[in-house]
Amino acid sequence: MPETPPAIAPEIAPAAAPQALPESGLGLHVVAGATWSVGGTLLRQAIILAAAVIVARLLTPADYAIGGLALSMMALFNVLTAQGFAQALIQRPELTDLACDSVFWLTSAAGVVVAGGVALAAPILARFYQQPALQTTLLWLALGLVIGMIGTVPNTLLQRAMRFRAINLIALAAGVISAGLGVAAAWLGHGYWALILPSIGSNLAVALGAFWLTAYRPALRFRWAEIRQISAFGLALLGSNLVQYFSDNSDYLIMPRFWTPTTFGHYYFAFERARQPFNLTVAQLGVVFFPAFSRLQGERERLRRAYLQSTEFICLIVFPLHVLLIGLADPLVPWLFGEQWRPAVPAFQLFAAYSFMRGLGTLVSPALLAINRAPAALWFNLFRLVLTVPALLVLGMTGADVTTVALVLLAVWMLQAPFYIGYLYRQIGLRWRETWRGLRRLVLATSLMAAILVGSRWGAAAAGWPLWTGVAGGGLLSVLTFLTLTRSPILEGMAFVRRALRPATSPPASSS
């Protein structure tokens, strides 16, 4: 049964501001949320990965090209909705039912309007990319967009209340439904619909689940004054998300004009599969840390400590996971997904390295939003966009292959990242050497993992053994080495998690 949801504040009386927790209480609450997030997403990742393996073995690269292009187009239209205003409800110190209702009707109307724009643009986009199937897929995805926008406010209220268990139960159910739809469509021979239908089903599951697990039911009322109070934050976040979309997805928009469907299918597969572990685990932690950082926005010392500890927690997951992905990609990718994906292996490894580097910057955006620096994220994403688009156009016109494009995108991220992270550090008074002190053991352990993986592959080849023996042996030895060298922080983290998940008989006492 779902947990009993707390009632939203009656009528338009101000809702209580987020309860100020003492440092230990907030830390335990965040770790509990992060644990539910990682635990839930690991289970969901296992389900989605199993489905992805089946779907990839049944689909062709051309199917992936059509589905990937349609999904990347819809990601752009999704950004154009008013989701930033819903996120502003998390950051707002006091909340009323009237504010929630006003944002609900705004986001729902924006979803309908944007879906209408998709219907008008679909035939034009299909002609531009010379993919007739794109028109029908976009129309169905537009329906999924409207459904998703209807569930935005109740889902945001769950985040504001830091009800991470409920959020992850919803996400898990959505993952099961989307995986089932994808496998069924692929098994029945419906090609690219195996990528489209899971998106629609997931949006429906999240919207229904969010309404079910909250007491929120929208009333027929709307007031522009409530929207104006959060308009600065909402519009800044909209602009930042729009620029971030183009900086993250400009390759999906530009390269299909220059590549064959098969080539773009290999590229889309490599990018999505390589970053899938990151997106399904670590990237989801923004849901946990944004409300937590928002509660600390006036206490910079506590915010610094929380940011450092959270970054160490994330890197403990990201570093070893992505070193294994890079080292085991060949022969793991063609063995799991099918020989038709072997040309995508080098790009897969580069994109895994890209996700590895993103580990250090995962929490920059939630922290900037929490301290009211959303415009800064916009400017840094604009800087990356200015570097990326001309490079992609040149690469497309010169006939660059998939691996070259992946390498250039990795280089652009590495060029931008120090400035992006450094800006946040200056805002909260954090120094790079403090980060290094917390991560140096992880860096050493990860470097040894990489050396073992390379050495075992070379040793197997020199001895004339089958490749899988070196890969399997190196993978096992590298994991054991990492666990041995990071035993202390892992044990400390496990102890903290146990305290965080232990049922509390009473709320933490406030420090006076």
Side-chain angles (χ1 to χ4, degrees):
M1 292 179 62
E3 55 186 297
T4 304
I8 302 296
E11 291 302 330
I12 59 173
Q19 182 183 2
L21 296 176
E23 185 165 359
S24 59
L26 182 59
L28 291 174
H29 206 69
V30 170
V31 171
T35 303
W36 278 111
S37 184
V38 172
T41 50
L42 283 175
L43 179 57
R44 187 167 79 254
Q45 179 182 348
I47 295 170
I48 293 177
L49 178 60
V53 169
I54 297 171
V55 170
R57 297 186 75 88
L58 295 172
L59 266 57
T60 66
D63 289 328
Y64 259 79
I66 296 171
L69 185 57
L71 290 172
S72 61
M73 288 288 161
M74 284 311 302
L76 169 59
F77 288 112
N78 193 61
V79 171
L80 295 175
T81 60
Q83 288 192 43
F85 288 85
Q87 289 295 305
L89 297 178
I90 297 176
Q91 211 243 7
R92 192 171 175 176
E94 293 186 350
L95 192 61
T96 65
D97 277 359
L98 181 57
C100 294
D101 293 340
S102 299
V103 172
F104 174 85
W105 294 114
L106 176 68
T107 54
S108 299
V112 172
V113 170
V114 171
V118 173
L120 294 175
I124 301 172
L125 293 170
R127 287 195 298 271
F128 179 77
Y129 287 105
Q130 300 177 2
Q131 294 287 349
L134 189 61
Q135 181 174 350
T136 306
T137 56
L138 286 176
L139 293 177
W140 279 99
L141 286 170
L143 174 62
L145 182 145
V146 174
I147 295 171
M149 292 309 299
I150 291 174
T152 298
V153 167
N155 198 45
T156 299
L157 294 176
L158 287 174
Q159 295 179 39
R160 177 183 169 86
M162 301 181 75
R163 293 178 57 195
F164 304 120
R165 180 182 179 184
I167 292 170
N168 282 282
L169 287 174
I170 294 171
L172 179 60
V176 171
I177 291 171
S178 64
L181 288 171
V183 170
W187 192 267
L188 294 173
H190 293 301
Y192 52 80
W193 287 104
L195 303 177
I196 303 300
L197 293 179
S199 175
I200 301 171
S202 178
N203 283 352
L204 179 60
V206 170
L208 292 176
F211 273 108
W212 184 33
L213 292 177
T214 64
Y216 176 70
R217 300 296 181 267
L220 285 172
R221 56 186 177 183
F222 180 87
R223 185 175 295 173
W224 275 112
E226 297 291 340
I227 301 300
R228 283 195 295 269
Q229 290 182 27
I230 58 176
S231 60
F233 183 95
L235 290 174
L237 190 55
L238 170 63
S240 177
N241 288 342
L242 189 60
V243 174
Q244 182 173 355
Y245 168 84
F246 283 109
S247 61
D248 286 343
N249 297 278
S250 54
D251 51 339
Y252 284 175
L253 303 179
I254 294 173
M255 301 315 296
R257 284 286 295 173
F258 299 100
W259 283 338
T260 66
T262 297
T263 302
F264 180 66
H266 284 140
Y267 181 87
Y268 181 80
F269 171 87
F271 198 1
E272 293 302 315
R273 294 287 80 80
R275 68 177 183 173
Q276 182 178 15
F278 184 92
N279 287 345
L280 292 179
T281 53
V282 176
Q284 301 296 322
L285 293 177
V287 174
V288 176
F289 290 111
F290 174 43
F293 290 162
S294 293
R295 297 187 181 204
L296 298 177
Q297 57 185 294
E299 304 175 62
R300 292 303 167 89
E301 178 58 33
R302 290 181 62 189
L303 180 58
R304 281 195 296 274
R305 288 200 296 270
Y307 181 87
L308 272 177
Q309 292 169 359
S310 303
T311 299
E312 292 170 19
F313 174 79
I314 283 175
C315 290
L316 192 63
I317 301 170
V318 169
F319 284 5
L321 176 61
H322 288 85
V323 166
L324 285 174
L325 285 177
I326 296 168
L328 304 181
D330 183 16
L332 194 60
V333 167
W335 180 72
L336 271 180
F337 299 101
E339 282 296 323
Q340 69 268 36
W341 302 112
R342 183 174 292 279
V345 168
F348 178 95
Q349 292 172 311
L350 287 170
F351 285 133
Y354 172 79
S355 294
F356 177 96
M357 298 301 299
R358 284 182 63 194
L360 284 173
T362 301
L363 298 180
V364 175
S365 181
L368 287 174
L369 293 178
I371 62 173
N372 278 316
R373 294 293 187 274
L378 185 152
W379 286 110
F380 280 107
N381 283 318
L382 186 61
F383 171 70
R384 183 155 59 105
L385 178 64
V386 169
L387 293 177
T388 302
V389 171
L392 289 172
L393 290 171
V394 171
L395 291 170
M397 290 184 289
T398 55
D401 61 9
V402 168
T403 304
T404 303
V405 174
L407 182 61
V408 169
L409 291 183
L410 174 61
V412 169
W413 169 257
M414 293 180 66
L415 179 63
Q416 181 227 12
F419 300 99
Y420 185 45
I421 300 171
Y423 175 80
L424 173 67
Y425 279 22
R426 289 193 298 274
Q427 296 302 308
I428 63 177
L430 188 59
R431 298 179 183 275
W432 284 101
R433 64 171 175 265
E434 296 176 72
T435 304
W436 168 247
R437 281 199 299 267
L439 296 179
R440 56 189 174 189
R441 183 179 298 184
L442 283 177
V443 172
L444 172 62
T446 306
S447 300
L448 286 176
M449 281 186 70
I452 291 170
L453 287 168
V454 172
S456 62
R457 181 183 290 266
W458 179 86
W465 296 343
L467 177 61
W468 69 265
T469 59
V471 171
L476 179 60
L477 182 59
S478 66
V479 170
L480 292 175
T481 300
F482 182 85
L483 293 176
T484 301
L485 292 177
T486 58
R487 181 173 178 271
S488 177
I490 289 175
L491 291 177
E492 291 173 6
M494 291 174 63
F496 200 34
V497 165
R498 283 195 296 270
R499 293 199 303 273
L501 295 179
R502 188 179 301 142
T505 56
S506 60
S510 299
S511 57
S512 55

